[in-house]
Amino acid sequence: MRCKSCGSQLDSAEAVCPRCGAGAELGRLTGILGIVCRRCDAYNEPGTEVCTGCGKPLFEGGKPPPPEPPSQRLTVPAPGPFAPLRAAAAPVGKMTSAGQPVVRSFQRVARTAPPSQAPRSSPASLLMKCPRCGAEASAGTFCPRCGQGLGSRGTQFMAPVGEKPRAVPETYVELAPGRAKLILERGAGREGESYKLDAPVTEVGRTRGAILFPDDPTLSAHHASFLFRNGSLHVRDEGAPGGIHLRLRGLSIPLKPGDHLVVGDRLLRYAGPLPPAAPPPPPPEGTRLLGAPRPAGSAVVLEEVLEGGATGRVFVRPGPSVTIGRAGCAVNLGEDPYLSQAHAELLVDASGGVRVRDLGSSNGTFARLPPRSERELRDADVVRMGREVLRVSVIDGAASGKAKDRGADG
């Protein structure tokens, strides 16, 4: 589309020519009738900035064209059952001082409804508020302001069940058998069920131990052990192939090649930095081998681990920031009900070191413990083994025990 005044090329969503300032008829209509997304052909209401079908921006500048002034619109309200419309006196064809035709205006005449007829009930609202920015949007689509997935296409919050986790205190109490328990947040067992840790060592597994999850094929026969030592609760990896993952608590932690992460229901392996390009030996005829272009600067390799251990997709991304999530990130993992739109981030420093941090996701980011290692736990820590997500809870009454100072950790 070209401007009628100066002939400049215009975007179909532009209401004013950026070169001469002349109005663009088609652009003004998008502020009245809405706009159709060029990527997915979904219709969007007037004023929408992000497509409700695919979550992509509708306009190059990120903002819709300014709406047409109300004085230039013909607004005719829909007649109600007891409010007929009456036209105001305005001769047709009369021109204003600005040279614009006078538009017949309408006003509603109020009338009281007969007592025998009940007023119509208003239709149920089909809108919901975006959990990210608070904007109203239709359920089951994307937020028109920030692009957050909503409803069945958005993140399912793994809300704590059984009891609400308490705020993490600056100090913690000495724990002993019978003073802590595990609560199943999600998994093959019954969600919300609690398991009291009332022995010095409590074994957990699929077929062996005091706590069993026989319906989870991703658990080993004896997968982990929870033990008390020196007034603290520890979890120990018993060499299970699937390992034990612990949820990050606010801080970033370093990664080394081979480390595993869990985001949503996706298992990822950090393969390390992309090795420098080695010049291949030139072929006899001097032809260079075909290949994809290498990322500029330092880059890292992230692998998706499929069920059974096979490697799935491989992502090569440049630093210094590599975001991971469902959509709109450097690494997009697609539809996953427990994955946030922007879930976690890899931070690459100038020396090539990499750290991972959670981006405030609904269900957290989990890092795997080294095989056969132990990790001290505290109240509200979340442990994942196989498909089971277990939260540590200090039993009421333990708070009266001896408090000890504790520094923050990851």
Side-chain angles (χ1 to χ4, degrees):
M1 184 177 71
R2 293 187 176 277
C3 175
K4 295 181 179 180
S5 177
C6 66
S8 299
Q9 186 70 31
L10 298 178
D11 187 277
S12 62
E14 290 179 327
V16 178
C17 175
R19 182 176 180 182
C20 67
E25 297 297 331
L26 184 59
R28 284 201 295 267
L29 289 177
T30 63
I32 303 174
L33 305 178
I35 188 171
V36 175
C37 178
R38 300 178 182 177
R39 298 178 177 86
C40 66
D41 294 332
Y43 168 75
N44 296 272
E45 296 289 341
T48 302
E49 301 174 13
V50 180
C51 177
T52 57
C54 65
K56 301 294 184 182
L58 293 171
F59 307 95
E60 293 183 0
K63 295 291 183 181
E68 189 176 358
S71 60
Q72 300 180 11
R73 298 182 185 176
L74 175 62
T75 304
V76 181
F82 306 108
L85 299 177
R86 182 175 63 193
V92 178
K94 183 178 179 181
M95 307 297 289
T96 65
S97 59
Q100 298 291 334
V102 175
V103 180
R104 295 174 64 90
S105 61
F106 296 84
Q107 59 183 2
R108 189 176 299 280
V109 179
R111 182 183 296 177
T112 306
S116 59
Q117 288 188 338
R120 293 181 179 180
S121 59
S122 58
S125 175
L126 299 179
L127 300 177
M128 64 178 297
K129 285 192 174 181
C130 172
R132 185 177 184 185
C133 68
E136 289 188 345
S138 301
T141 62
F142 292 92
C143 173
R145 179 184 296 173
C146 67
Q148 168 70 32
L150 303 174
S152 61
R153 298 188 65 176
T155 304
Q156 296 182 15
F157 294 89
M158 192 174 63
V161 291
E163 64 179 35
K164 295 182 178 180
R166 294 175 288 275
V168 180
E170 295 298 328
T171 60
Y172 75 108
V173 297
E174 290 189 351
L175 296 179
R179 310 300 291 272
K181 62 182 177 181
L182 302 176
I183 299 177
L184 182 65
E185 299 289 0
R186 181 165 66 96
R190 291 191 304 173
E191 296 182 3
E193 187 170 359
S194 62
Y195 308 91
K196 192 173 182 179
L197 303 176
D198 52 4
V201 179
T202 302
E203 297 179 343
V204 181
R206 182 163 43 91
T207 59
R208 172 186 163 190
I211 302 176
L212 299 178
F213 298 98
D215 297 328
D216 188 346
T218 62
L219 284 180
S220 297
H222 178 201
H223 199 98
S225 297
F226 291 85
L227 57 147
F228 294 92
R229 182 186 298 118
N230 300 325
S232 300
L233 175 65
H234 297 252
V235 62
R236 181 172 63 210
D237 181 3
E238 299 295 350
I244 297 175
H245 298 80
L246 184 64
R247 181 171 179 170
L248 304 184
R249 298 191 68 155
L251 301 178
S252 63
I253 63 169
L255 288 180
K256 62 181 183 298
D259 284 348
H260 289 74
L261 302 171
V262 173
V263 291
D265 275 337
R266 308 300 179 100
L267 178 61
L268 304 175
R269 178 172 55 235
Y270 171 58
L274 180 67
E285 65 277 10
T287 305
R288 298 183 61 181
L289 296 178
L290 178 66
R294 293 176 59 89
S298 60
V300 296
V301 181
L302 195 64
E303 301 173 343
E304 183 181 34
V305 181
L306 304 179
E307 187 170 340
T311 301
R313 292 172 290 179
V314 178
F315 304 91
V316 179
R317 298 292 184 268
S321 170
V322 180
T323 53
I324 305 169
R326 187 176 65 250
C329 298
V331 175
N332 296 319
L333 299 175
E335 293 297 329
D336 183 330
Y338 296 99
L339 186 68
S340 294
Q341 181 169 349
H343 199 104
E345 180 184 26
L346 300 184
L347 303 171
V348 185
D349 58 33
S351 62
V354 175
R355 301 181 68 88
V356 60
R357 69 184 181 104
D358 186 78
L359 294 178
S361 63
S362 305
N363 300 308
T365 301
F366 294 76
R368 181 171 177 173
L369 304 182
R372 299 285 181 179
S373 66
E374 292 184 8
R375 179 64 182 267
E376 185 179 350
L377 301 175
R378 51 178 169 161
D379 187 33
D381 269 340
V382 181
V383 178
R384 176 162 183 162
M385 54 186 73
R387 296 173 181 168
E388 316 308 311
V389 180
L390 299 158
R391 172 168 50 89
V392 177
S393 177
V394 174
I395 296 177
D396 293 338
S400 61
K402 179 181 177 181
K404 298 167 62 179
D405 292 333
R406 178 187 177 92
D409 62 359

